Amino acid sequence: MTNSDQFDTRFNLLLTALEQISQQIEQLRQRTDSNARAIEALTDTVNEFKRVRVAWPKAIALNCIL
């Protein structure tokens, strides 16, 4: 095997490794986006529960007064 062949082989291995890393980064980005959407949905749910929790005692108190 010539030096040129060895270089080509190593270069191809490097390109393959870079492609795999690029794919893994894309998969990580997709999971990160998915996690961010899930966190946002949970935050919205918690905020809605807080809103309802505050609203119910007020509604009960108003009904007692009326």
Side-chain angles (χ1 to χ4, degrees), residues 37-57:
R37 285 191 301 274
I39 289 168
E40 185 176 355
L42 286 172
T43 301
D44 291 346
T45 301
V46 168
N47 288 335
E48 179 64 15
F49 282 139
K50 286 179 180 179
R51 187 189 66 75
V52 169
R53 186 184 71 196
V54 169
W56 272 101

Side-chain angles (χ1 to χ4, degrees), residues 2-60:
T2 67
N3 284 343
S4 179
D5 291 337
Q6 289 178 347
F7 175 82
D8 288 346
T9 299
R10 290 180 180 164
F11 186 74
N12 286 333
L13 288 172
L14 179 61
L15 284 178
T16 301
L18 289 173
E19 288 172 5
Q20 290 173 349
I21 290 168
S22 177
Q23 290 172 359
Q24 290 172 348
I25 289 171
E26 177 60 21
Q27 290 170 355
L28 180 59
R29 186 197 61 78
Q30 290 173 0
R31 285 196 306 266
T32 301
D33 290 348
S34 177
N35 289 342
R37 285 191 301 274
I39 289 168
E40 185 176 355
L42 286 172
T43 301
D44 291 346
T45 301
V46 168
N47 288 335
E48 179 64 15
F49 282 139
K50 286 179 180 179
R51 187 189 66 75
V52 169
R53 186 184 71 196
V54 169
W56 272 101
K58 289 179 183 176
I60 293 170

